[in-house]
Every structure is written in C-alpha cells, then in structure tokens.
C-alpha cells in the first residue's frame, strides 16, 4: 500500500516570482530594456503573461526592482569582500570568477545594458547614480592597497588600475559569444593585468 506524502516530504513548488525575475534578468540582459517585451519574459519563465502582471504591474516595475536588488547586493558583497578568506589577490580573483560565471553573467550584463543605453525608467537612473561605478571601486581600494603592500599587485593608482581592470571585464561580459573554441579568458589570465610582475 502506497503511503500518502506528508507535508514535510513534499517538494515546495517553485517560487513563480523568482522564476519570472530570473527569466527577466536573462532577457533584459540580452535585449536591453526597450526591446524586451513582457511576453518574451513570460515565455522564458514558462508562465502566462497574466501571472507575470499579477506579480508586477508593469515592465518598468519589474526592471526597476531587479536593478535595485542587483545593485544593493553588489554593494553589500563588495563592502564585505575583505572579510572573505584568503589574500587580497584571492579575494579579487574570487570576485572576477563570480563576474565571469554563467550564473552571474546576466546580472552584470543587465546593469551594463542599463548604464549604456540610458533608455530606462527614471527610477533606474536614480539607482544607478546612487551606485556609481566609482563608488563601487572605492570599496575595493583598501583590498588592493593591502595587496600592493604585500607585493602581489602592481604599483600605481589603485583606482585607475581597478577601473581599467573592471572595464576590461565588463567589455568581455557584453561581447556576443563567439563559437571559436576559446571562450572568455579565465580569472587567472585576467588577474595578470593587476599582478606585480618583476
């Protein structure tokens, strides 16, 4: 006789709002805010467009909430990066690996799309101004300076070096994937740009 599943053993149904948000990040990242239609998002999320609008009143609200969450999380992660285990080199390498990781790549792409096009809801422009790239770089400077003292990072203005470094990564992230068998450079290769090479 087959026993009925107890509540504790039943698998929780997927959170529809999270599914919509994940799908939206991917579509917005690929197409930008202007070209993205809510129908595309609902199709990617495998939900009806009506269900999407039950959670979000508009495309603008969905996009704004995503950008707010991503920028807030990014600020929080960068401000706590110095608490991560390892040397300054290992900490910035871990951040680089996360940026290049397929799971996080779309999150970085959507922010770059929003900054690049400027065709976004006014609330998004306010959020992006609040979390300006310079402000985020400032959070990494103490880690980089510590690495310079330890002799693992190149000498020079930390803000300039970090800005150039992350500009390179952002450009790589925004590139269309090319099936050339090489893919993107790995974090170790990119870190050579920052490393102190005698």
């Amino acid at each position: 006789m087959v026993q009925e599943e107890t509540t504790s053993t039943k698998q929780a149904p997927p959170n529809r709002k999270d599914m919509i948000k994940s799908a939206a990040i991917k579509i917005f990242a690929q197409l930008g805010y202007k070209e993205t239609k809510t129908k595309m998002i609902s199709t990617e999320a495998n939900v009806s467009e009506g269900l999407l609008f039950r959670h979000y009143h508009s495309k603008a609200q969905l996009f704004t909430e995503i950008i707010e969450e991503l920028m807030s999380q990014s600020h929080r992660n960068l401000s706590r990066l110095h608490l991560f285990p390892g040397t300054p080199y290992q900490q910035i390498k871990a951040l680089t690996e996360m940026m290049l990781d397929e799971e996080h790549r779309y999150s970085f792409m959507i922010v770059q799309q929003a900054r690049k096009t400027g065709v976004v809801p006014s609330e998004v422009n306010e959020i992006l101004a609040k979390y300006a790239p310079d402000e985020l770089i400032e959070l990494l400077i103490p880690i980089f300076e510590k690495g310079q003292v330890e002799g693992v990072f190149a000498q020079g203005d930390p803000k300039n070096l970090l800005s150039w470094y992350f500009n390179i990564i952002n450009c790589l992230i925004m590139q269309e994937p090319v099936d050339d068998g090489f893919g993107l450079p790995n974090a170790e290769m990119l870190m050579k740009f920052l490393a102190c090479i005698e």
Side-chain angles (χ1 to χ4, degrees):
M1 182 174 156
V2 179
Q3 290 184 337
E4 286 184 12
E5 272 188 311
T6 62
T7 308
S8 60
T9 60
K10 284 182 183 175
Q11 194 171 17
N15 185 317
R16 295 296 173 88
K17 191 170 182 178
D18 287 344
M19 288 169 60
I20 292 167
K21 205 174 288 185
S22 295
I25 289 172
K26 183 177 180 181
I27 303 298
F28 281 134
Q30 293 174 326
L31 302 179
Y33 175 75
K34 185 179 179 182
E35 299 302 320
T36 296
K37 312 297 181 197
T38 52
K39 181 63 179 170
M40 297 173 182
I41 297 170
S42 63
T43 300
E44 178 69 25
N46 200 26
V47 299
S48 70
E49 201 171 5
L51 181 62
L52 186 153
F53 283 117
R54 243 181 280 167
H55 290 290
Y56 300 97
H57 303 306
S58 64
K59 179 175 83 167
Q61 184 201 2
L62 172 56
F63 189 77
T64 302
E65 185 174 309
I66 287 170
I67 295 294
E68 175 67 66
E69 285 183 8
L70 290 177
M71 295 311 298
S72 174
Q73 182 181 10
S74 179
H75 185 274
R76 188 166 56 251
N77 289 344
L78 291 178
S79 63
R80 297 172 57 193
L81 189 63
H82 68 284
L83 300 175
F84 285 28
T87 64
Y89 183 95
Q90 291 168 331
Q91 290 166 341
I92 292 183
K93 183 185 173 189
L95 175 62
T96 303
E97 287 171 341
M98 185 183 71
M99 291 179 74
L100 296 173
D101 185 89
E102 195 64 35
E103 185 182 339
H104 298 97
R105 189 174 174 210
Y106 288 123
S107 297
F108 289 100
M109 281 178 71
I110 189 176
V111 173
Q112 292 308 310
Q113 282 275 20
R115 289 196 192 279
K116 185 177 174 183
T117 65
V119 185
V120 293
S122 57
E123 295 91 340
V124 170
N125 283 324
E126 291 169 14
I127 294 165
L128 294 176
K130 177 182 173 185
Y131 297 105
D134 280 358
E135 298 293 323
L136 297 175
I137 291 292
E138 289 287 344
L139 297 172
L140 297 175
I141 288 178
I143 296 173
F144 193 83
E145 288 177 332
K146 184 179 177 187
Q148 285 180 316
V149 170
E150 293 175 359
V152 294
F153 288 142
Q155 294 304 308
D157 184 292
K159 190 168 186 177
N160 283 350
L161 291 169
L162 286 167
S163 295
W164 294 334
Y165 182 67
F166 288 108
N167 280 339
I168 290 168
I169 294 174
N170 287 331
C171 288
L172 288 169
I173 287 171
M174 292 302 292
Q175 278 186 352
E176 289 293 324
V178 178
D179 189 16
D180 55 8
F182 297 106
L184 295 176
N186 61 26
E188 194 65 56
M189 179 65 69
L190 289 168
M191 287 293 289
K192 290 180 180 179
F193 179 86
L194 298 176
C196 180
I197 300 171
E198 295 296 334

